[in-house]
Amino acid sequence: MKSRIFWGIVAPVAAIVTSLLLISGILLLKHTSPVDILKAMIDYGFSPRNIVAELNIASGYYIAGVAAAIGFKMMLFNIGIDGQYRLAVFFAAVVGGLFTLPPVLHVTLIILVGAIVGGLWGSIAGYLKVKRGISEVISNIMLNAIAAGLVAYLLQPTRLGEQAEGSNNLNTPIIAPSGQLPTIPFLGGQIHGFIIFTVFIGLAYWVLLNKSTFGFNLRATGLSFKAARAGGVNAPKMIFVTMALSGAIAGLTGMGTLLSETHSYSISFPSGYALTGLALALLGRNHPVGIAFAAYFWAFLDRSAGVLDLNGVPKEIITIMQGTIVLSIVVAYEIVKRINKQQEQKLVGSASATLKVSATTEGEASA
Amino acid sequence: MSALLNNVMKNKVVRKFASPWRLALLVALVLIVISVVRRITGANDLTSAGLSSATLRFTIPLLMAGLGGLWAERAGVINIGLEGMMIAGTWIGAWFAFLHGPWIGFLAAAIGGALVGLFHGILVVKIGIDQAVSGLAINLLALGAARYLSGVLFIPNGGDISVSPMVQQPGYLTVPGISSWLLSINGKNIIILSDAAGVLAGFVTEISWATIFLLITVPLSTWILWRTRFGLRLRFCGENPIAAESLGVKVYRTRYMALAISGMFASLGGAYLSLVASQVYREGQTAGRGFIGLATVIFGNWRPSGVLAGSVLFGLTDALRVRQPTSIHAALLVIVILGALFVIWSITRGRMKTASITAAAALFIGFIYIKVPIIPNEFVTFFPNLATILVLVLLAQKLKPPAMLAVPYREREEGH
Amino acid sequence: MSAIVEIQGIEKKYPGVVANHNVNLAIKKGEIHAIIGENGAGKSTLMKILYGMVMPDSGTILVDGKKVIFKSPQDSIALGIGMVHQHFMLADNASVLENVILGSEPTSFGGVIQVDAARAKLIEITKNYGLDINPDQLVAELGVGERQRVEIAKVLYRGAQILILDEPTAVLVPQEVDELFRNLKDLTSHGLTIIFISHKLDEVLSIADDISVMRAGTTVASVIPSKTNKKELAELMVGRELPKRREVSTKPGLEKILEIKDATYVTPDHREILHGVSLEVHSGEILGVAGVEGNGQSELIEMIMGLVKASSGNVSIMGHDISDSSSREIRDSGVGYIPQDRQRDGLLMSAPLWENRILGHQATAPMANGFWLNKAAAKKDSERIVVDLDVRTPSINVMAAALSGGNQQKFIVGREMADKPSLLIAAQPTRGVDVGAQALIWNQLIEARLAGMAILLISADLDELFNLSDRLAVISGGKIVAVLDPDKTTPEQLGLAMTGEKIA
């Protein structure tokens, strides 16, 4: 038990150290001191203004991370977070901009639209997987491109979008104040009010997965489709529902920005949440607290990269670092898995009066 | 569209049409329909030499990505990293072309791509990490590395963080005599004949040598995969690695080579973008073509000729979109007529189900043709993605993916 | 004729089990030599040794009079031994020719396959031995019999002189069996030697030149078909004495708990697995289901558990028709289920033990409290199971995978009996477990029976069946061919029933 927790923490740390070493190597090639750069990043990244920005970014990342994690619990690789998020935040903005409603109701409606649109879009991949056996990776890649195209199409001024005068930026109509979420003053900056929902999403994820029978059915199906089925779980249905749920959560990814900052969807909404979400879920081992740390770390890297250009280092080095972290983390887990398996085999091998013959080997040796 | 899909996907149909006469007949039929539609709609670009050469330019990068995907998947590994490998190719190609000329650019891109492919191979085959994670991480790394290196190397050389300095193109081939002859026939506006001449002229006028060399990889892939020992063993690694290993095939080594080839092809497709299609590296140049490459593999039913057909179809829609959006509208009419002909053909063959599905699709497209005068650009952009999902949904039973695609495989360890 | 293959004193032990013990065989050139035996008699282990897939602990193998040591199948292939596996090793998406030549492709310069030469060689082989296959056909289009011929061609293509066929008729329909036998006769007439593993007495008597019988890991007899009969063979296979039934003081109750009426199951690809099966299990009764594996047992269990739907007929539990119920509803109506493959179907291997306690019981009290899981109850009852069933584990927090097979099985038995179900489906409950765990699990089953539980026991272990069952149903070819009283059954009766003979 102890060793499992130990290895669970060692792997992400090892991954981060590996990528730091790689980046240091690149910097040294450029005759730049890695220590100075790191110090500059920490000074800049932990300035009050940036902490606020990082919390706001991390909040979106966190939700994407939870969406990815719930998929991972089912052995689903939800690379469709991009499309689910984009379509969801777009329609949430459009519906929110249509009318004025009592404040709480208006905000609730916007959030619900996001979750429903994301869930519906995600459930397409779920349906294709369960009914047609199509890999969710392939279908989601295709669905991402379709979602991006649909949003670009609908955002045209003649359709659901607007073009501000003197700007070529397209956006949806501004949501009335009743559909806006107040910000929370913090360190002299403004934190999105939606961050409270973010915490709630993390909590709900944890409770649902670990405390409810639904979560048990989900995890059981992810661990072993056949054992879950034999245990009375409707496993195909669980796969479908999980894909939809993951999509619904992904649909909330852009809500903080929409409700507390821009109040409309525009083409400048960030992309690439799928990759980030999946990376964070891997880094945080699908644990709500782990993902939270990972999300903040990721946002910190994003923001503090801003200081690199000033120090003569292209800030894109951070992208390399993030890519390296993703790879090292999965490699580290794979190695840890092998080590654990070897230890376990030793354990079983040393126990006497046990059989090596598993029930799966035709049973020839069992007489 | 459905008619086209059916033609491409149905193995038996493909086999039948593979006989030269039937193929010629089919081509002639399509040409007649296009020619008639051109007359009716006045969408003269449909059979211009400009369109066919633009189609070729848009096709090659998709084709190379698709072949890259095909080589990996035939060996049982899915390569989500195609996009990253293409990015690597655009950058490496441009940098080495800048230093030593376009051919060295292509060569360097091929080597660089093979190394990235091999990296993916070691991660997923030897270490055994998730194939999708590895592919996505490679996409991210390639993007970051290209940006970083642009900052370091392009800026001091007259480029920009996202743009390389201008590079020289490989040479062009214009077949003397034939090209001008075809173009003159094209100018005479004779029905069918001029159309055929226009389309052909695009293939013999100012065609890049790179295009010619890269097109050869299609028959070459077919030949290697289906005629050589290496190809046979590679395909068995994707179909039944356990059987392959029991008969002495080195599954890991074969998969490494498949992924190196996969990376090389994708990277060459990228280099084509920066060296032939635009003469400059530009960030975002690949624009998701790696993923469309994955789509062409499905669309082409895991066969090089199928990948070519898919790439041409998607390349054609790209070319139409860029050149003259109204021709896309006209192209719908072509599809409707071809669909109708296919329905008749199916009925004579007694394939009522195929006929009714195609008829419904043709009616739907006809309805769009009448109701929507201009097909929105965005829809054309995601047409390959939508088409692939439709293929997966409608023709899933006809598709023949490698049986062990994306299933992790561990070689038997020594001493067991 | 001298022996082409001689096996002397082969021993093979797995931890806790002797798979082969003092095995002796002499196989003559050009004959069809059948090796028969029950499940678990050690036939497959022996063949794996002969094919180089498994190394024996001791003993010698002589091929053509020379002592040989096989370290891998490549070694045995080199000496002309080929194996036709029961589960085909073919790629659907490739042609017959490609499947045959893989690994031994004739190539010219540059690794180009000499397709014509390869095809000519294959056609010659198929003509010589009368194997009806088309080299250019896609394997996906082939039926089972044709696939088997491809496997045989594969072995012949590599120049095998001795062919091992592992239960080749198990997957064939009667016409295909006839064709296979013609092929085999053809092969021996060309001087090839066939080792034929089977448990079907009729077939063996009609095709074999020589028969060796294995029982409990050792060769017990070698007979010639003309000088024996089915009765004798059945007795040799099963043994002279059947295990004695354990004394139980009570008689089964009269209440029908499980009732299956005329149930048929046809797979989506139209294979009829179960034909008109009818069974009843009463309260306080253990009904044993005996039979050679693969005769419909798995499907019978899955049908009762609602994992597959009966194509016709119905299944009812305590008078309620459950033919259309979900697995969930069936379990909740009071059915416990010990699956035959515990690691695949019975456990979440990488979840802690206490979570495994919930599996299958996640919808009802005490494991669930409405929508919420009751972890405290799961942990508490896991502790109880660990104590009551002597599950050897450091704690209930370890992964199920960390436990030995016997301890995993004890935990499953404890879990499935925890809610005192009215019906327990126990499939191979002691397969692959150590003797201590076996005794404990048997005691648990008997106690539950005394307490009134109805138990359907599916097993390949005759000891287990005779020890525990009140009645014995024999399944063969998807039919219940006999229901026997274990106290009055002779080895011959059981052997004949299991090999597909109706007993009047």
Side-chain angles (χ1 to χ4, degrees):
Chain A
M1 262 318 268
K2 231 174 216 163
S3 87
R4 232 177 36 237
I5 292 170
F6 170 74
W7 286 111
I9 292 172
V10 158
V13 171
I16 291 169
V17 169
T18 309
S19 60
L20 276 174
L21 286 177
L22 180 91
I23 297 303
S24 303
I26 296 178
L27 290 174
L28 286 173
L29 277 178
K30 271 183 63 81
H31 307 294
T32 314
S33 156
V35 179
D36 290 349
I37 295 292
L38 191 66
K39 202 170 160 297
M41 279 177 71
I42 288 173
D43 286 347
Y44 181 79
F46 285 134
S47 68
R49 191 172 64 87
N50 279 321
I51 289 181
V52 170
E54 280 154 16
L55 282 172
N56 284 337
I57 298 171
S59 150
Y61 283 176
Y62 182 75
I63 299 172
V66 171
I70 207 162
F72 277 142
K73 283 283 179 188
M74 183 53 93
M75 301 290 159
L76 286 174
F77 198 86
N78 186 5
I79 193 178
I81 290 173
D82 272 329
Q84 293 144 12
Y85 136 79
R86 190 166 293 282
L87 217 55
V89 73
F90 172 77
F91 277 109
V94 167
V95 172
L98 281 178
F99 32 63
T100 312
L101 284 174
V104 178
L105 199 64
H106 199 172
V107 170
T108 313
L109 178 75
I110 293 171
I111 294 174
L112 272 181
V113 169
I116 290 168
V117 171
L120 287 176
W121 197 248
S123 65
I124 298 176
Y127 175 84
L128 292 176
K129 178 158 184 106
V130 173
K131 290 288 173 190
R132 295 277 169 165
I134 298 167
S135 151
E136 78 282 3
V137 176
I138 295 294
S139 59
N140 272 323
I141 286 176
M142 303 302 146
L143 287 167
N144 279 346
I146 295 173
L150 278 178
V151 169
Y153 169 74
L154 293 172
L155 195 58
Q156 294 302 314
T158 48
R159 300 183 185 105
L160 299 172
E162 292 178 344
Q163 187 162 15
E165 294 224 2
S167 149
N168 54 8
N169 202 358
L170 296 169
N171 53 261
T172 57
I174 300 287
I175 298 170
S178 64
Q180 302 181 358
L181 210 54
T183 53
I184 306 161
F186 181 68
L187 292 175
Q190 300 292 324
I191 292 185
H192 298 160
F194 195 72
I195 204 162
I196 293 166
F197 285 86
T198 307
V199 174
F200 173 75
I201 287 168
L203 211 63
Y205 161 73
W206 187 77
V207 170
L208 189 70
L209 225 62
N210 293 296
K211 299 283 175 194
S212 75
T213 55
F214 172 83
F216 182 84
N217 288 345
L218 193 160
R219 283 183 296 126
T221 310
L223 286 168
S224 165
F225 183 89
K226 291 203 158 140
R229 227 170 85 81
V233 179
N234 187 343
K237 188 181 126 199
M238 286 310 298
I239 292 178
F240 174 80
V241 171
T242 306
M243 195 59 231
L245 188 62
S246 178
I249 296 170
L252 301 178
T253 301
M255 283 298 155
T257 317
L258 178 70
L259 292 171
S260 303
E261 201 176 309
T262 60
H263 308 303
S264 82
Y265 172 85
S266 73
I267 41 177
S268 59
F269 261 58
S271 60
Y273 273 119
L275 188 49
T276 307
L278 294 164
L280 299 180
L282 288 170
L283 201 55
R285 292 226 86 173
N286 300 330
H287 192 281
V289 178
I291 301 170
F293 278 113
Y296 186 78
F297 175 61
W298 223 248
F300 168 82
L301 287 179
D302 278 1
R303 282 301 285 189
S304 57
V307 80
L308 292 176
D309 279 333
L310 301 176
N311 287 272
V313 179
K315 66 169 185 293
E316 285 70 25
I317 200 168
I318 291 300
T319 314
I320 301 180
M321 182 165 173
Q322 290 174 335
T324 318
I325 292 175
V326 176
L327 276 186
S328 344
I329 190 86
V330 286
V331 170
Y333 285 145
E334 198 58 43
I335 293 171
V336 167
K337 206 163 87 187
R338 300 257 171 94
I339 293 174
N340 281 343
K341 206 172 169 186
Q342 272 171 9
Q343 281 177 344
E344 191 181 286
Q345 274 168 352
K346 257 185 219 162
L347 216 84
V348 173
S350 64
S352 58
T354 56
L355 299 184
K356 211 177 156 189
V357 187
S358 78
T360 47
T361 54
E362 300 293 306
E364 269 291 295
S366 63
Chain B
M1 183 184 70
S2 172
L4 265 173
L5 295 189
N6 271 311
N7 273 340
V8 176
M9 308 314 309
K10 276 198 166 174
N11 233 14
K12 281 188 181 154
V13 177
V14 169
R15 253 189 247 164
K16 273 181 198 157
F17 276 120
S19 82
W21 286 111
R22 279 176 174 272
L23 194 68
L25 207 69
L26 186 72
V27 169
L29 188 71
V30 172
L31 206 67
I32 293 169
V33 172
I34 293 176
S35 171
V36 170
V37 168
R38 184 178 69 84
R39 286 277 169 129
I40 299 170
T41 61
N44 284 327
D45 196 42
L46 273 182
T47 57
S48 73
L51 181 72
S52 54
S53 79
T55 300
L56 214 48
R57 268 202 309 283
F58 280 107
T59 297
I60 298 289
L62 299 178
L63 172 69
M64 297 314 290
L67 286 179
L70 176 115
W71 274 85
E73 294 189 17
R74 274 290 179 182
V77 181
I78 199 154
N79 189 354
I80 308 279
L82 286 173
E83 179 78 4
M85 294 170 193
M86 285 191 96
I87 293 175
T90 54
W91 195 93
I92 297 172
W95 175 242
F96 281 89
F98 172 71
L99 293 179
H100 304 292
W103 293 116
I104 300 294
F106 271 111
L107 185 68
I111 296 169
L115 290 175
V116 181
L118 204 56
F119 180 58
H120 182 53
I122 290 167
L123 288 173
V124 303
V125 175
K126 181 80 186 172
I127 301 178
I129 71 170
D130 189 278
Q131 301 184 355
V133 174
S134 171
L136 285 174
I138 284 172
N139 290 340
L140 190 65
L141 277 175
L143 186 71
R147 276 187 191 167
Y148 175 80
L149 291 171
S150 299
V152 176
L153 295 174
F154 287 165
I155 291 178
N157 287 293
D160 185 313
I161 183 84
S162 60
V163 182
S164 75
M166 287 295 277
V167 295
Q168 201 200 332
Q169 274 187 317
Y172 281 94
L173 170 74
T174 298
V175 183
I178 295 178
S179 166
S180 49
W181 176 62
L182 286 173
L183 284 170
S184 73
I185 296 179
N186 181 233
K188 284 178 186 147
N189 206 10
I190 309 165
I191 191 158
I192 300 173
L193 202 59
S194 292
D195 296 300
V199 173
L200 287 177
F203 297 132
V204 293
T205 312
E206 285 200 351
I207 178 170
S208 171
W209 281 107
T211 307
I212 296 168
F213 288 133
L214 292 182
L215 271 177
I216 293 172
T217 58
V218 178
L220 191 66
S221 294
T222 307
W223 186 76
I224 295 176
L225 284 170
W226 275 273
R227 288 280 175 268
T228 70
R229 176 167 59 190
F230 171 63
L232 178 72
R233 294 181 172 193
L234 189 148
R235 285 187 291 124
F236 268 77
C237 287
E239 299 292 346
N240 192 342
I242 299 173
E245 196 186 328
S246 78
L247 297 170
V249 175
K250 303 268 183 244
V251 176
Y252 281 13
R253 198 196 294 163
T254 312
R255 285 188 169 177
Y256 292 150
M257 298 188 49
L259 284 165
I261 295 171
S262 168
M264 181 178 83
F265 278 172
S267 180
L268 282 171
Y272 186 90
L273 280 173
S274 59
L275 298 182
V276 180
S278 56
Q279 284 184 271
V280 72
Y281 160 85
R282 206 178 299 111
E283 194 178 298
Q285 204 164 22
T286 54
R289 285 189 173 83
F291 295 119
I292 298 185
L294 277 182
T296 62
V297 180
I298 298 167
F299 205 85
N301 204 6
W302 288 267
R303 288 181 171 268
S305 53
V307 171
L308 177 65
S311 310
V312 169
L313 180 65
F314 298 157
L316 176 67
T317 51
D318 256 356
L320 286 170
R321 175 173 61 89
V322 171
R323 288 172 62 86
Q324 202 186 57
T326 50
S327 6
I328 293 179
H329 191 238
L332 289 184
L333 190 58
V334 175
I335 294 169
V336 172
I337 296 172
L338 285 176
L341 291 173
F342 185 74
V343 170
I344 295 166
W345 184 76
S346 300
I347 290 172
T348 60
R349 295 287 165 124
R351 292 189 190 140
M352 299 316 285
K353 202 180 158 202
T354 316
S356 50
I357 291 172
T358 313
L363 280 176
F364 177 70
I365 296 169
F367 177 76
I368 293 175
Y369 175 78
I370 293 163
K371 286 286 170 191
V372 188
I374 294 171
I375 305 301
N377 238 334
E378 295 85 359
F379 283 71
V380 183
T381 314
F382 67 66
F383 163 73
N385 309 86
L386 187 63
T388 304
I389 289 201
L390 287 177
V391 165
L392 282 169
V393 172
L394 296 174
L395 298 170
Q397 275 97 29
K398 304 238 157 57
L399 293 178
K400 285 182 182 156
M404 289 294 129
L405 178 57
V407 179
Y409 176 74
R410 306 232 54 91
E411 271 180 10
R412 284 206 309 170
E413 278 157 46
E414 298 293 314
H416 278 270
Chain C
M1 264 195 290
S2 67
I4 188 165
V5 177
E6 241 186 300
I7 288 169
Q8 298 168 343
I10 289 282
E11 301 272 342
K12 180 68 193 175
K13 286 195 183 87
Y14 290 107
V17 158
V18 180
N20 275 178
H21 167 67
N22 194 24
V23 174
N24 296 292
L25 269 184
I27 293 157
K28 294 195 270 304
K29 184 171 163 54
E31 71 168 355
I32 297 180
H33 192 117
I35 296 175
I36 62 169
E38 272 285 304
N39 285 312
K43 304 178 305 258
S44 285
T45 306
L46 179 62
M47 290 307 116
K48 282 177 186 164
I49 289 171
L50 189 53
Y51 187 54
M53 290 163 80
V54 170
M55 294 267 284
D57 300 334
S58 63
T60 44
I61 303 172
L62 302 165
V63 175
D64 266 339
K66 283 188 281 290
K67 195 180 162 188
V68 292
I69 292 169
F70 296 141
K71 286 181 179 148
S72 75
Q74 267 79 28
D75 293 345
S76 60
I77 291 170
L79 280 171
I81 298 176
M83 174 108 145
V84 177
H85 298 273
Q86 192 182 359
H87 303 283
F88 304 143
M89 303 257 253
L90 299 172
D92 273 11
N93 217 345
S95 73
V96 168
L97 181 64
E98 288 173 330
N99 270 284
V100 169
I101 65 175
L102 179 74
S104 332
E105 312 87 347
T107 54
S108 54
F109 180 74
V112 183
I113 299 173
Q114 294 172 314
V115 184
D116 294 334
R119 188 184 288 113
K121 184 174 168 189
L122 176 57
I123 288 174
E124 195 196 317
I125 290 170
T126 55
K127 276 204 179 132
N128 267 350
Y129 301 116
L131 294 169
D132 178 21
I133 45 173
N134 172 1
D136 297 310
Q137 213 173 353
L138 214 57
V139 169
E141 296 163 2
L142 303 185
V144 177
E146 287 169 301
R147 282 166 193 250
Q148 192 168 55
R149 292 200 284 278
V150 176
E151 284 283 7
I152 293 173
K154 217 162 123 180
V155 170
L156 295 174
Y157 188 89
R158 284 162 177 74
Q161 293 297 308
I162 303 158
L163 275 70
I164 306 169
L165 283 87
D166 187 6
E167 310 242 0
T169 59
V171 289
L172 303 180
V173 298
Q175 304 91 294
E176 291 173 329
V177 171
D178 292 343
E179 165 128 34
L180 172 72
F181 285 178
R182 272 200 302 279
N183 291 151
L184 295 185
K185 288 282 183 202
D186 246 356
L187 291 171
T188 48
S189 71
H190 285 76
L192 274 65
T193 310
I194 309 270
I195 303 173
F196 183 98
I197 301 170
S198 183
H199 52 246
K200 296 188 182 165
L201 304 184
D202 276 324
E203 286 175 12
V204 162
L205 285 169
S206 75
I207 184 87
D209 301 309
D210 242 325
I211 301 171
S212 294
V213 185
M214 286 187 79
R215 188 172 71 230
T218 189
T219 35
V220 291
S222 211
V223 289
I224 326 179
S226 54
K227 291 185 183 159
T228 186
N229 55 40
K230 261 161 67 175
K231 281 186 183 178
E232 194 193 8
L233 284 178
E235 204 176 290
L236 283 168
M237 266 169 74
V238 176
R240 258 173 227 295
E241 298 238 333
L242 286 171
K244 272 279 170 290
R245 175 134 192 270
R246 200 178 289 204
E247 290 295 322
V248 279
S249 53
T250 59
K251 286 208 181 316
L254 294 172
E255 192 192 345
K256 277 182 206 166
I257 302 292
L258 171 69
E259 187 173 15
I260 302 174
K261 272 195 206 145
D262 205 20
T264 300
Y265 173 64
V266 183
T267 60
D269 56 336
H270 311 296
R271 285 180 304 130
E272 202 173 330
I273 305 286
L274 295 174
H275 321 256
V277 170
S278 296
L279 278 180
E280 283 171 14
V281 190
H282 303 88
S283 60
E285 179 187 41
I286 298 181
L287 175 70
V289 176
V292 171
E293 274 178 75
N295 275 279
Q297 292 96 323
S298 303
E299 290 76 7
L300 176 66
I301 301 164
E302 290 184 355
M303 191 173 74
I304 300 169
M305 291 311 299
L307 297 168
V308 300
K309 291 266 169 281
S311 312
S312 67
N314 58 48
V315 183
S316 41
I317 291 171
M318 288 183 286
H320 296 286
D321 189 341
I322 52 112
S323 307
D324 291 317
S325 303
S326 72
S327 193
R328 162 88 283 120
E329 290 160 347
I330 293 167
R331 271 181 171 276
D332 292 352
S333 72
V335 180
Y337 174 38
I338 302 169
Q340 54 182 344
D341 186 338
R342 61 174 160 271
Q343 300 194 340
R344 194 191 67 186
D345 294 338
L347 291 169
L348 305 171
M349 294 295 278
S350 47
L353 268 191
W354 66 264
E355 282 203 339
N356 274 288
R357 168 61 184 89
I358 304 173
L359 185 67
H361 305 79
Q362 65 271 25
T364 44
M367 291 300 115
N369 183 2
F371 183 68
W372 304 107
L373 286 179
N374 188 344
K375 283 195 185 187
K379 290 190 173 178
K380 195 174 148 217
D381 202 52
S382 300
E383 297 283 9
R384 178 194 64 80
I385 293 173
V386 166
V387 174
D388 283 5
L389 283 103
D390 189 28
V391 179
R392 308 269 168 87
T393 174
S395 92
I396 56 163
N397 295 316
V398 299
M399 300 282 164
L403 268 60
S404 72
N407 286 309
Q408 289 173 345
Q409 190 69 351
K410 285 190 276 186
F411 191 85
I412 293 177
V413 170
R415 174 182 78 194
E416 295 305 326
M417 291 192 172
D419 291 346
K420 308 252 175 305
S422 354
L423 173 68
L424 179 72
I425 312 291
Q428 318 290 358
T430 62
R431 166 177 284 177
V433 308
D434 55 282
V435 182
Q438 184 182 49
L440 192 142
I441 292 168
W442 285 2
N443 272 335
Q444 288 284 325
L445 293 174
I446 288 173
E447 275 172 31
R449 173 216 178 272
L450 290 175
M453 195 184 288
I455 298 175
L456 184 70
L457 171 71
I458 297 94
S459 181
D461 179 349
L462 292 183
D463 265 343
E464 182 162 271
L465 288 169
F466 276 87
N467 244 305
L468 303 177
S469 307
D470 294 296
R471 288 185 298 142
L472 264 181
V474 183
I475 190 167
S476 175
K479 294 191 188 87
I480 301 293
V481 290
V483 179
L484 307 169
D485 179 345
D487 293 330
K488 294 175 188 152
T489 305
T490 63
E492 178 201 323
Q493 274 179 318
L494 183 68
L496 289 176
M498 285 172 64
T499 51
E501 295 292 310
K502 279 261 183 203
I503 294 182

